[in-house]
Amino acid sequence: MTTIKSVVTASLLSVALLGATSGSAFAFDKLDDAIAGEHRSEKNKARDQYRHPKETLEFFGFKDDMTVVEIAPGGGWYTEVLAPALKGSGVLYGAHYPDTGKEDYYSRSRKGLEKKLASDPVFSEVKLTDFMPKQESELAPAGSADMVLTFRNLHNWGKMGVEQVFKDAYTALKPGGVLGVVEHRLPEDMDHADGYYSQALAIEQAEAAGFELAETSEINANPKDTADHPKGVWTLPPVLRLGDQDRDKYLAIGESDRMTLKFVKPAK
């Protein structure tokens, strides 16, 4: 009887411990499934070696029950990972450029993203909001987000745009929430390179918006990238702006060197 009782007690304890830890384990399982999902093209999956989606999201502290904002999803490369990982347990806002009603970049980008989201049920719970980089935007309801993410966008927004975006992210986040930034990194000894952004400046701007720098990571670093390319960052894959000219050279370099920065909105 004592033996049976001990076994039952141990089993119940194991179940309790599993329940206590299943949230994070489940998050990683969902993340693995999302990354391996059939909704992702082989072309996009081939870029995982450069973009490290699992390692990057784990570094930021991603969990599947969070409310997450992705700023300027563009073609939806990261949305393909975030949407299924959050579906059914969390919330994903895609804060993207609006349809202006004109035939311009913003409208084309918005329509392209909307078409993608309608293409597969895996995206059915994504909520789109309107975002413009140089004017105040409600990325998500104020104080509602656990995490705000932006991938390779700072160079598009410019200094003033980044300042406003960081302010908007601060407003959207809960106290203790995380701002995760991945961006093409400008070498410290260079003043400018097309498509790259200064890490020191990004940190300065985030701190000016009220954030604290929690941690930096070299997950997405590429020491082969010198940033002094004839067509800027777009010289490198996946764009390969020069076409066949020096193609093997740039393929050997791979995608850009990237900073990966984790900021936190203070709890008080």
Side-chain angles (χ1 to χ4, degrees):
M1 179 66 69
T2 301
T3 302
I4 295 175
K5 184 177 180 180
S6 298
V7 170
V8 171
T9 302
S11 298
L12 290 173
L13 181 59
S14 296
V15 170
L17 289 172
L18 179 61
T21 59
S22 61
S24 59
F26 185 50
F28 296 144
D29 288 344
K30 288 188 72 177
L31 200 50
D32 287 337
D33 290 343
I35 292 169
E38 293 183 359
H39 65 288
R40 299 185 70 215
S41 67
E42 292 304 314
K43 181 179 179 180
N44 281 358
K45 288 180 180 179
R47 298 185 65 200
D48 291 353
Q49 63 178 310
Y50 300 115
R51 302 195 69 173
H52 311 103
K54 181 178 180 180
E55 295 85 352
T56 299
L57 292 175
E58 288 180 355
F59 169 72
F60 290 143
F62 174 87
K63 295 180 181 178
D64 65 56
D65 60 352
M66 285 181 163
T67 294
V68 178
V69 180
E70 182 185 5
I71 308 177
W77 193 95
Y78 249 101
T79 312
E80 291 183 354
V81 176
L82 292 167
L86 290 165
K87 187 176 183 181
S89 53
V91 177
L92 176 60
Y93 286 96
H96 202 55
Y97 308 123
D99 185 344
T100 63
K102 302 177 183 178
E103 187 56 33
D104 57 16
Y105 169 78
Y106 296 113
S107 295
R108 290 194 298 272
S109 185
R110 179 61 170 245
K111 289 174 182 176
L113 181 61
E114 289 177 346
K115 182 178 180 180
K116 183 181 186 71
L117 298 183
S119 69
D120 194 297
V122 76
F123 302 116
S124 63
E125 296 181 8
V126 179
K127 300 180 180 182
L128 290 183
T129 57
D130 290 343
F131 155 75
M132 289 290 280
K134 295 183 180 180
Q135 63 187 50
E136 185 176 351
S137 303
E138 186 178 82
L139 308 178
S144 67
D146 299 289
M147 183 172 287
V148 174
L149 302 172
T150 178
F151 302 100
R152 305 181 311 123
N153 283 309
L154 305 192
H155 63 280
N156 290 320
W157 300 333
K159 185 176 180 180
M160 290 181 60
V162 171
E163 288 176 359
Q164 183 60 57
V165 170
F166 285 170
K167 290 177 184 177
D168 294 338
Y170 191 91
T171 299
L173 282 165
K174 301 174 182 177
V178 170
L179 169 64
V181 176
V182 178
E183 172 62 319
H184 311 296
R185 177 165 45 196
L186 182 72
E188 293 181 2
D189 60 351
M190 293 178 67
D191 294 328
H192 175 78
D194 286 346
Y196 294 84
Y197 203 83
S198 164
Q199 178 167 319
L201 177 59
I203 293 171
E204 177 185 323
Q205 291 177 297
E207 291 178 340
F211 288 102
E212 296 176 353
L213 178 65
E215 196 174 355
T216 66
S217 173
E218 294 301 296
I219 294 170
N220 297 299
N222 179 2
K224 295 179 182 178
D225 178 19
T226 57
D228 56 347
H229 313 301
K231 296 293 183 179
V233 73
W234 302 281
T235 310
L236 300 175
V239 177
L240 294 169
R241 185 67 56 81
L242 294 178
D244 290 333
Q245 181 183 337
D246 293 325
R247 183 183 183 88
D248 290 341
K249 169 186 173 181
Y250 295 117
L251 285 173
I253 293 173
E255 295 195 18
S256 67
D257 175 53
R258 292 164 190 163
M259 61 177 110
T260 304
L261 311 176
K262 180 179 179 179
F263 299 98
V264 176
K265 178 176 179 176
K268 296 182 180 180

mmCIF file of all heavy atoms in Angstrom, residues 21-31 64 85 89:
data_model
loop_
_atom_site.group_PDB
_atom_site.id
_atom_site.type_symbol
_atom_site.label_atom_id
_atom_site.label_comp_id
_atom_site.label_asym_id
_atom_site.label_seq_id
_atom_site.Cartn_x
_atom_site.Cartn_y
_atom_site.Cartn_z
ATOM 1 N N THR A 21 5.629 24.219 -15.447
ATOM 2 C CA THR A 21 6.669 24.580 -16.416
ATOM 3 C C THR A 21 6.199 24.479 -17.852
ATOM 4 O O THR A 21 6.918 24.834 -18.768
ATOM 5 C CB THR A 21 7.888 23.645 -16.257
ATOM 6 O OG1 THR A 21 7.474 22.292 -16.472
ATOM 7 C CG2 THR A 21 8.490 23.780 -14.869
ATOM 8 N N SER A 22 4.973 24.015 -18.062
ATOM 9 C CA SER A 22 4.537 23.720 -19.429
ATOM 10 C C SER A 22 4.373 24.963 -20.278
ATOM 11 O O SER A 22 4.434 24.894 -21.489
ATOM 12 C CB SER A 22 3.218 22.936 -19.409
ATOM 13 O OG SER A 22 2.195 23.701 -18.786
ATOM 14 N N GLY A 23 4.148 26.132 -19.632
ATOM 15 C CA GLY A 23 3.964 27.344 -20.415
ATOM 16 C C GLY A 23 5.147 27.633 -21.304
ATOM 17 O O GLY A 23 5.005 27.794 -22.508
ATOM 18 N N SER A 24 6.361 27.668 -20.719
ATOM 19 C CA SER A 24 7.547 27.985 -21.502
ATOM 20 C C SER A 24 7.879 26.862 -22.464
ATOM 21 O O SER A 24 8.252 27.102 -23.609
ATOM 22 C CB SER A 24 8.741 28.252 -20.579
ATOM 23 O OG SER A 24 9.011 27.128 -19.779
ATOM 24 N N ALA A 25 7.707 25.616 -22.030
ATOM 25 C CA ALA A 25 8.004 24.492 -22.919
ATOM 26 C C ALA A 25 7.071 24.505 -24.111
ATOM 27 O O ALA A 25 7.471 24.294 -25.251
ATOM 28 C CB ALA A 25 7.881 23.179 -22.153
ATOM 29 N N PHE A 26 5.785 24.808 -23.827
ATOM 30 C CA PHE A 26 4.793 24.843 -24.889
ATOM 31 C C PHE A 26 5.121 25.941 -25.885
ATOM 32 O O PHE A 26 4.969 25.775 -27.096
ATOM 33 C CB PHE A 26 3.408 25.064 -24.275
ATOM 34 C CG PHE A 26 2.273 25.010 -25.256
ATOM 35 C CD1 PHE A 26 2.152 23.959 -26.146
ATOM 36 C CD2 PHE A 26 1.319 26.013 -25.280
ATOM 37 C CE1 PHE A 26 1.099 23.908 -27.034
ATOM 38 C CE2 PHE A 26 0.265 25.966 -26.176
ATOM 39 C CZ PHE A 26 0.143 24.907 -27.047
ATOM 40 N N ALA A 27 5.611 27.069 -25.341
ATOM 41 C CA ALA A 27 5.978 28.182 -26.221
ATOM 42 C C ALA A 27 7.049 27.762 -27.205
ATOM 43 O O ALA A 27 6.979 28.065 -28.387
ATOM 44 C CB ALA A 27 6.466 29.372 -25.381
ATOM 45 N N PHE A 28 8.056 27.040 -26.701
ATOM 46 C CA PHE A 28 9.139 26.627 -27.569
ATOM 47 C C PHE A 28 8.669 25.580 -28.564
ATOM 48 O O PHE A 28 9.118 25.549 -29.701
ATOM 49 C CB PHE A 28 10.322 26.116 -26.742
ATOM 50 C CG PHE A 28 10.935 27.192 -25.885
ATOM 51 C CD1 PHE A 28 11.429 26.913 -24.627
ATOM 52 C CD2 PHE A 28 11.004 28.500 -26.330
ATOM 53 C CE1 PHE A 28 11.998 27.910 -23.839
ATOM 54 C CE2 PHE A 28 11.565 29.503 -25.553
ATOM 55 C CZ PHE A 28 12.051 29.204 -24.304
ATOM 56 N N ASP A 29 7.758 24.691 -28.135
ATOM 57 C CA ASP A 29 7.209 23.709 -29.060
ATOM 58 C C ASP A 29 6.455 24.413 -30.185
ATOM 59 O O ASP A 29 6.588 24.067 -31.348
ATOM 60 C CB ASP A 29 6.270 22.748 -28.330
ATOM 61 C CG ASP A 29 7.003 21.780 -27.415
ATOM 62 O OD1 ASP A 29 8.238 21.643 -27.570
ATOM 63 O OD2 ASP A 29 6.344 21.180 -26.559
ATOM 64 N N LYS A 30 5.643 25.395 -29.837
ATOM 65 C CA LYS A 30 4.886 26.127 -30.850
ATOM 66 C C LYS A 30 5.823 26.901 -31.767
ATOM 67 O O LYS A 30 5.566 27.029 -32.966
ATOM 68 C CB LYS A 30 3.889 27.085 -30.189
ATOM 69 C CG LYS A 30 2.699 26.394 -29.525
ATOM 70 C CD LYS A 30 1.658 27.384 -29.071
ATOM 71 C CE LYS A 30 0.900 27.992 -30.239
ATOM 72 N NZ LYS A 30 -0.171 28.919 -29.781
ATOM 73 N N LEU A 31 6.891 27.430 -31.212
ATOM 74 C CA LEU A 31 7.862 28.161 -32.013
ATOM 75 C C LEU A 31 8.546 27.224 -33.004
ATOM 76 O O LEU A 31 8.704 27.559 -34.189
ATOM 77 C CB LEU A 31 8.887 28.811 -31.089
ATOM 78 C CG LEU A 31 9.710 29.983 -31.614
ATOM 79 C CD1 LEU A 31 8.822 31.052 -32.246
ATOM 80 C CD2 LEU A 31 10.533 30.579 -30.485
ATOM 81 N N ASP A 64 4.354 32.123 -25.879
ATOM 82 C CA ASP A 64 3.215 32.004 -26.793
ATOM 83 C C ASP A 64 1.926 32.636 -26.282
ATOM 84 O O ASP A 64 0.950 32.736 -27.026
ATOM 85 C CB ASP A 64 2.963 30.534 -27.142
ATOM 86 C CG ASP A 64 2.528 29.714 -25.946
ATOM 87 O OD1 ASP A 64 1.532 30.065 -25.299
ATOM 88 O OD2 ASP A 64 3.170 28.698 -25.642
ATOM 89 N N ALA A 85 2.810 30.815 -33.863
ATOM 90 C CA ALA A 85 3.317 30.599 -32.503
ATOM 91 C C ALA A 85 2.393 31.231 -31.466
ATOM 92 O O ALA A 85 2.300 30.751 -30.337
ATOM 93 C CB ALA A 85 4.720 31.151 -32.373
ATOM 94 N N SER A 89 -3.357 31.375 -28.270
ATOM 95 C CA SER A 89 -2.897 31.567 -26.890
ATOM 96 C C SER A 89 -2.409 32.984 -26.617
ATOM 97 O O SER A 89 -2.365 33.417 -25.464
ATOM 98 C CB SER A 89 -1.782 30.572 -26.560
ATOM 99 O OG SER A 89 -0.737 30.628 -27.516
#
